[in-house]
């Protein structure tokens, strides 16, 4: 890998990069099949990713014709890194074994280890012989929608494909590594004004928020909409706020500390609810929700923006869904992509049907949506929300920080990139866009 890094750093041509030998093994972050029961009986919140995530050499897999070998310069932590590392709601090895049954080359994915990570920026090293649009030397980011485009179900909305998977979560050989294999249809041009790590943090969360709010498959936000965003400085929330502001809407951001409230104000989000300071208790006990708390929450939103929200951007799940369905306006839309606090949700159907509300499910993004979201980052209209950067050796610590809800926005991870700030190809564009916007979430200099 040293030779590869030296070539990239030294500005080698695509042809030269294409002739570099691919190493037989590479450094990667992975969980082990033999560990899937290690947290049995431990409370979710106490499960510690530093104990289950290992960093070591793994063998380089063979390349399929529609794939590329990617030198991963940087990657990022996603919440799915947490799910994989605490083996919840299921150990991910079941996904890998199911994929392995699909074809001879898919069998590569079933291993005693699962290389994790669903984001990356890097340089294409080698392309399979069915790859047309990319070549060695291309500087790219990667979206995580892994679909087999020879299946007809992948050709309307690829998120509806029967074989749709999330790369690095439901497939092996993910991005938290020095090398990865990705399908060519996961590649997108790297934004030229961003460093490797700034470019690596966006694709998963940014594309998810794009589909939920902007694309034709989500809530289809329009100018003037009031949009309530839970976890508004978190991974997907930090992009959602930007989309609402860009699209002429009014965001109402919910966070859990004065520091996060201040960050929202700096982003231009004026309507902010500090849920901890307000002390909402939507559940009075494990089985009972308190409608008077929903009403108190709804009243707060009206105080801030004068009316009920047109859209609620949902992902905490069990703890908030009842309140979200209650608070969204008559005829409004709740769009959900997750259930961090629990997936068996409950809401009062009377408020839902009598007020003709809508609930839309959303999951990542198809290639078209991911590319549209990447274009906005490329153009400097959507910015990375990276607060901190870790080394590959520290992936366990970074995942623990996210698991504990202690991180703002996104955490970048340096893989092959030896230090922060490398990979900026167009510094003039960066100046035009503005360092303050690009680094707004940074907590460390
Ligand atoms: P994150 O960076 O950890 O942010 C989540 C935010 O949600 C936190 O900052 C927290 O904000 C808020 N939150 C957490 N628990 C809450 C609760 N009980 N009630 C209210 N707010 C709560 O995570 P993320 O990357 O944004 O991901 C959020 C969820 O979406 C995860 O479950 C993830 O797996 C899922 N996800 C799904 C997709 C998909 O394609 N389906 C894609 C990306 C993410 P405050 O404490 O400040 O309020």
């Amino acid at each position: 890998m040293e030779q590869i890094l030296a070539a990239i750093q030294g500005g080698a041509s695509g042809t030269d990069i294409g002739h570099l030998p691919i190493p037989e093994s590479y450094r990667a972050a992975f969980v082990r099949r033999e560990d899937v029961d290690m947290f049995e009986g431990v409370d979710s919140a106490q499960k510690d990713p530093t104990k289950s995530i290992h960093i070591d050499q793994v063998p380089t897999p063979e390349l399929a014709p529609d794939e590329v070998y990617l030198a991963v310069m940087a990657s990022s932590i996603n919440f799915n890194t947490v799910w994989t590392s605490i083996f919840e709601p299921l150990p991910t090895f079941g996904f890998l074994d199911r994929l392995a049954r699909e074809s001879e080359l898919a069998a590569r994915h079933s291993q005693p280890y699962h290389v994790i990570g669903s984001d990356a920026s890097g340089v294409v090293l080698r392309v399979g012989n069915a790859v047309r649009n990319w070549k060695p030397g291309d500087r790219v980011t990667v979206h995580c929608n892994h679909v087999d485009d020879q299946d007809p179900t992948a050709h309307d909305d690829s998120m509806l494909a029967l074989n749709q998977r999330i790369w690095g979560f439901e497939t092996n050989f993910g991005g938290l590594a020095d090398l990865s294999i990705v399908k060519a249809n996961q590649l997108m041009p790297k934004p030229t004004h961003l460093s490797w790590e700034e470019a690596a943090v966006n694709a998963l969360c940014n594309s998810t928020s794009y589909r939920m709010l902007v694309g034709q498959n989500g809530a289809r936000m329009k100018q003037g909409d009031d949009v309530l965003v839970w976890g508004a400085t978190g991974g997907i929330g930090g992009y959602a706020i930007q989309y609402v502001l860009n699209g002429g809407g009014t965001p109402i951001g919910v966070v859990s500390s004065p520091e996060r409230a201040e960050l929202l104000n700096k982003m231009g989000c004026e309507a902010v609810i500090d849920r901890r300071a307000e002390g909402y208790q939507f559940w009075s006990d494990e089985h009972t929700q308190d409608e008077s708390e929903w009403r108190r929450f709804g009243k707060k939103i009206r105080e801030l923006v004068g009316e009920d929200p047109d859209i609620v951007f949902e992902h905490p799940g069990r703890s908030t869904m009842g309140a979200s369905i209650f608070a969204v306006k008559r005829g409004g839309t709740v769009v959900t992509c997750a259930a961090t606090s629990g997936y068996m949700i409950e809401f009062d159907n009377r408020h839902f049907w009598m007020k003709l509300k809508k609930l839309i499910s959303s999951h990542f993004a198809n290639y078209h949506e991911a590319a549209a979201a990447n274009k906005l980052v490329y153009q400097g209209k959507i910015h990375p929300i990276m607060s901190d950067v870790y080394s590959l050796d520290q992936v366990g610590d970074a995942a623990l920080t996210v698991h504990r809800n202690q991180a703002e926005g996104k955490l970048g991870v340096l893989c092959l990139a030896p230090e922060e700030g490398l990979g900026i190809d167009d510094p003039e564009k960066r100046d035009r866009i503005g360092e303050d916007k690009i680094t707004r979430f940074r907590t460390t200099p």
Side-chain angles (χ1 to χ4, degrees):
M1 294 307 307
E2 289 82 26
Q3 203 184 350
I4 289 171
L5 178 60
I8 293 168
Q9 301 265 78
S13 70
T15 312
D16 287 346
I17 287 178
H19 285 109
L20 292 171
I22 302 295
E24 284 177 8
S25 68
Y26 64 99
R27 191 177 58 131
F30 56 86
V31 293
R32 300 188 304 205
R33 198 184 281 267
E34 68 195 68
D35 290 341
V36 297
D37 295 326
M38 71 188 290
F39 296 128
E40 220 165 76
V42 179
D43 186 55
S44 244
Q46 304 309 319
K47 295 182 181 173
D48 181 350
T50 64
K51 297 197 161 50
S52 55
I53 294 176
H54 301 268
I55 316 294
D56 211 336
Q57 294 287 313
V58 295
T60 303
E62 183 188 346
L63 195 68
D66 62 345
E67 292 173 345
V68 311
Y69 281 125
L70 183 75
V72 183
M73 300 303 283
S75 181
S76 91
I77 304 297
N78 280 296
F79 214 90
N80 72 11
T81 322
V82 177
W83 296 128
T84 312
S85 65
I86 62 172
F87 308 108
E88 280 194 26
L90 292 167
T92 44
F93 289 96
F95 302 142
L96 307 184
D97 296 343
R98 215 164 303 137
L99 167 58
R101 290 196 284 274
E102 282 190 0
S103 72
E104 209 174 300
L105 275 166
R108 293 169 300 170
H109 291 264
S110 177
Q111 299 290 343
Y113 53 85
H114 181 185
V115 178
I116 57 180
S118 301
D119 268 321
S121 66
V123 178
V124 175
L125 295 174
R126 201 80 99 241
V127 303
N129 57 17
V131 175
R132 295 173 298 280
N133 297 343
W134 302 93
K135 56 184 186 324
D138 285 345
R139 292 155 90 91
V140 295
T141 59
V142 178
H143 74 73
C144 61
N145 185 4
H146 182 282
V147 284
D148 180 351
D149 55 15
Q150 290 180 16
D151 190 310
T153 57
H155 283 270
D156 181 5
D157 171 7
S158 61
M159 286 309 296
L160 299 183
L162 294 175
N163 53 33
Q164 191 281 325
R165 293 183 168 86
I166 298 297
W167 164 70
F169 179 62
E170 294 164 293
T171 80
N172 213 327
F173 319 124
L176 285 162
D178 289 340
L179 190 88
S180 186
I181 54 168
V182 299
K183 284 183 181 284
N185 63 16
Q186 290 177 251
L187 298 177
M188 307 184 295
K190 174 188 166 287
T192 47
H193 60 294
L194 298 181
S195 66
W196 292 115
E197 60 281 8
E198 288 165 346
V201 299
N202 307 299
L204 189 147
C205 285
N206 180 36
S207 312
T208 301
S209 301
Y210 180 93
R211 180 175 172 113
M212 287 176 78
L213 288 178
V214 185
Q216 60 180 355
N217 294 302
R220 306 182 74 161
M221 188 201 77
K222 57 186 192 321
Q223 293 184 39
D225 279 353
D226 297 309
V227 184
L228 182 105
V229 179
W230 289 104
T233 59
I236 50 176
Y239 293 101
I241 293 290
Q242 296 186 63
Y243 281 117
V244 179
L245 290 167
N246 281 4
T250 303
I252 304 118
V254 187
V255 286
S256 63
S257 72
E259 295 75 26
R260 290 181 177 182
E262 197 185 321
L263 185 55
L264 278 181
N265 289 151
K266 280 195 197 145
M267 292 174 82
C269 174
E270 289 167 12
V272 177
I273 299 176
D274 180 339
R275 66 182 172 99
R276 189 160 298 158
E278 297 288 340
Y280 296 117
Q281 294 288 337
F282 299 135
W283 289 83
S284 40
D285 63 47
E286 208 186 315
H287 308 286
T288 323
Q289 294 199 64
D290 182 348
E291 187 171 325
S292 69
E293 283 294 273
W294 296 349
R295 288 190 188 283
R296 190 161 73 87
F297 180 60
K299 192 164 167 244
K300 179 77 188 172
I301 299 168
R302 286 183 185 181
E303 273 169 30
L304 288 169
V305 294
E307 53 194 1
D308 297 331
D310 298 271
I311 297 170
V312 174
F313 183 91
E314 236 305 323
H315 51 93
R318 183 169 175 80
S319 56
T320 54
M321 185 60 95
S324 294
I325 293 281
F326 177 82
V328 76
K329 81 168 194 194
R330 192 180 182 94
T333 302
V334 175
V335 57
T336 179
C337 75
T340 313
S341 64
Y343 46 82
M344 294 303 284
I345 61 159
E346 203 176 282
F347 59 82
D348 187 332
N349 204 21
R350 292 167 301 176
H351 293 298
F352 187 60
W353 96 72
M354 290 295 288
K355 294 193 176 146
L356 302 106
K357 302 181 181 191
K358 293 183 274 294
L359 178 58
I360 294 184
S361 60
S362 194
H363 183 40
F364 187 59
N366 61 37
Y367 192 1
H368 188 259
E369 290 160 337
N374 187 62
K375 178 177 164 189
L376 290 163
V377 179
Y378 195 97
Q379 293 174 332
K381 292 178 179 160
I382 290 288
H383 308 292
I385 53 168
M386 186 180 72
S387 59
D388 210 348
V389 182
Y390 288 70
S391 69
L392 187 60
D393 292 333
Q394 299 168 318
V395 164
D397 298 302
L400 181 62
T401 305
V402 172
H403 185 29
R404 289 184 172 158
N405 188 14
Q406 289 168 339
E408 262 59 80
K410 298 284 306 169
L411 300 180
V413 175
L414 297 178
C415 297
L416 268 184
E419 58 188 86
E420 293 179 40
L422 303 174
I424 299 169
D425 297 319
D426 191 342
E428 288 82 24
K429 179 178 163 194
R430 189 177 176 97
D431 286 346
R432 267 196 322 275
I433 291 167
E435 192 71 24
D436 56 328
K437 294 191 182 116
I438 297 167
T439 58
R440 183 164 282 141
F441 271 64
R442 283 313 300 258
T443 48
T444 48

